[in-house]
C-alpha cells in the first residue's frame, strides 16, 4: 500500500484505509483575487465558500490544537494548511510546518496552493518534508483567466488583464512541472464554472497529464454572495469529469471541506 493513494482521504479511491487529516487555518493572506471569492475568512481561493474558517489561528494556537487532537485521535496522520488564503504567501505556513515536524517527524504534511509561488517554494517544501500538494487550476486559457482572476500579485507586482493572465498561467505551469520533477505528489483542483470554463475540462486534463499530474479533482462552483453564474448541475459536473477522465484519473470523493476541520471529509469536526 502506498501513500497518498491508499491513505490520504483527498487522494484515495479505496476508502477502507483512510487516515484522518487536520486543516489548520493559519494563512489569511492571498496573492490573487478570484471573482467568486470576497477574501473574507469565510472564503477560500481553493474551494469557494466551503474553504471557510471560523477564524484564523496563530501558529501557537494551531500547535496547541494539533497536540490536543493528536492525543485523542490515533488515526490522525496528516497535517495540512489549505487556507483560508494562499498558504505559500503566508510565512505562518512555513513556521507551522517546521514546528509540526518537530512534534512528530512521522506526520505527513500537505498543502493547497494557487501555484503562483510554487516554483520558488519547491526547495522549502522539500526541506519541510511536504509530500502532497493540491494546486488550483481553473483554466489554461489567457482569455478565461481574465474572467476568473481580477488581479494577482506576481513577482511582487499586482497585475491585471492580459499580462496577469499570461504570467499567472506561466507560473502555474512552471510550479506544476517543478513539483512533479521534485517527486512531490501533485493533484489539481479545478472549479467547474458554468459558462466560463465548462467547455475546457478535456483540454485542461490533457495538458495536466502531459505535465505529469497524477490526479484531478473537478468540483462545482459554490456561488458566494452576488457571484454569477450559479452552481453547475449534477449532470454538468459528471459530464465534465467524464470528458477529463479520458486524459487523467479523476477524484470523486471531494467534500469541498473547510480549512478548520479534523477527521475524514464528510465526517468532519470543526476546530
Amino acid at each position: 500500500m502506498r501513500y497518498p493513494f491508499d491513505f490520504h482521504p483527498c487522494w484515495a479511491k479505496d476508502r477502507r484505509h483512510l487516515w484522518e487529516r487536520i486543516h489548520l487555518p493559519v494563512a489569511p493572506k492571498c496573492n490573487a483575487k478570484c471573482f467568486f471569492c470576497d477574501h473574507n475568512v469565510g472564503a477560500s481561493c481553493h474551494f469557494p465558500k466551503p474553504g471557510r474558517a471560523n477564524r484564523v489561528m496563530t501558529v501557537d494556537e494551531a500547535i496547541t490544537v494539533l497536540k490536543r487532537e493528536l492525543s485523542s485521535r490515533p488515526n490522525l496522520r496528516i497535517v495540512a494548511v489549505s487556507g483560508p488564503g494562499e498558504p505559500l504567501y503566508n510565512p505562518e505556513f512555513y513556521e507551522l510546518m517546521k514546528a509540526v515536524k518537530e512534534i512528530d517527524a512521522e506526520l505527513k504534511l500537505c498543502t493547497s496552493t494557487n501555484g503562483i509561488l510554487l516554483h520558488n517554494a519547491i526547495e522549502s517544501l522539500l526541506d519541510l518534508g511536504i509530500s502532497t500538494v493540491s494546486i488550483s487550476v481553473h483554466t489554461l486559457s489567457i482569455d478565461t483567466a481574465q474572467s476568473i482572476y481580477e488581479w494577482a500579485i506576481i513577482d511582487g507586482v499586482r497585475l491585471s488583464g492580459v499580462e496577469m493572465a499570461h504570467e499567472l498561467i506561466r507560473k502555474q505551469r512552471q510550479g506544476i512541472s517543478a513539483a512533479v520533477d521534485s517527486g512531490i505528489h501533485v493533484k489539481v483542483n479545478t472549479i467547474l464554472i458554468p459558462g466560463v470554463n465548462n467547455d475546457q475540462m478535456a483540454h485542461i486534463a490533457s495538458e495536466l497529464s502531459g505535465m505529469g499530474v497524477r490526479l484531478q479533482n473537478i468540483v462545482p462552483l459554490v456561488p458566494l454572495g452576488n457571484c454569477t453564474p450559479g452552481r453547475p448541475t449534477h449532470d454538468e459536473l459528471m459530464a465534465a469529469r467524464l470528458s477529463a477522465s479520458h486524459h487523467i484519473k479523476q477524484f470523486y470523493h471531494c467534500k469541498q471541506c473547510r480549512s478548520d476541520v479534523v477527521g475524514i471529509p464528510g465526517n468532519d469536526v470543526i476546530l
Side-chain angles (χ1 to χ4, degrees), residues 3-12 15 18-19 78 110 132:
Y3 180 85
F5 301 102
D6 295 308
F7 301 107
H8 196 308
C10 301
W11 288 73
R15 312 303 282 175
L18 299 181
W19 293 343
I78 304 166
C110 182
T132 51

Side-chain angles (χ1 to χ4, degrees), residues 196-212:
V196 177
N197 68 353
N198 55 291
D199 61 345
Q200 299 174 22
M201 294 300 111
H203 173 70
I204 294 171
S206 177
E207 291 290 304
L208 295 175
S209 179
M211 286 185 269

Side-chain angles (χ1 to χ4, degrees), residues 140-183:
L140 293 171
S141 159
I142 300 296
D143 289 340
T144 306
Q146 294 177 69
S147 299
I148 294 176
Y149 301 95
E150 297 177 10
W151 53 261
I153 298 173
I154 299 176
D155 294 331
V157 180
R158 178 166 161 161
L159 302 177
S160 60
V162 174
E163 184 180 10
M164 175 274 300
H166 181 274
E167 288 301 302
L168 185 147
I169 292 171
R170 183 179 69 84
K171 288 286 189 180
Q172 288 181 326
R173 285 181 175 272
Q174 195 177 47
I176 290 170
S177 295
V180 169
D181 290 345
S182 76

Side-chain angles (χ1 to χ4, degrees), residues 197-255:
N197 68 353
N198 55 291
D199 61 345
Q200 299 174 22
M201 294 300 111
H203 173 70
I204 294 171
S206 177
E207 291 290 304
L208 295 175
S209 179
M211 286 185 269
V213 177
R214 301 287 299 278
L215 188 64
Q216 185 184 27
N217 176 33
I218 299 176
V219 295
L221 173 72
V222 178
L224 180 63
N226 295 322
C227 169
T228 56
R231 184 184 181 104
T233 66
H234 176 74
D235 287 347
E236 288 172 332
L237 177 61
M238 295 310 294
R241 289 172 170 172
L242 178 60
S243 67
S245 70
H246 296 297
H247 305 280
I248 190 171
K249 183 179 178 181
Q250 296 293 301
F251 184 71
Y252 297 97
H253 302 284
C254 182
K255 303 299 182 183

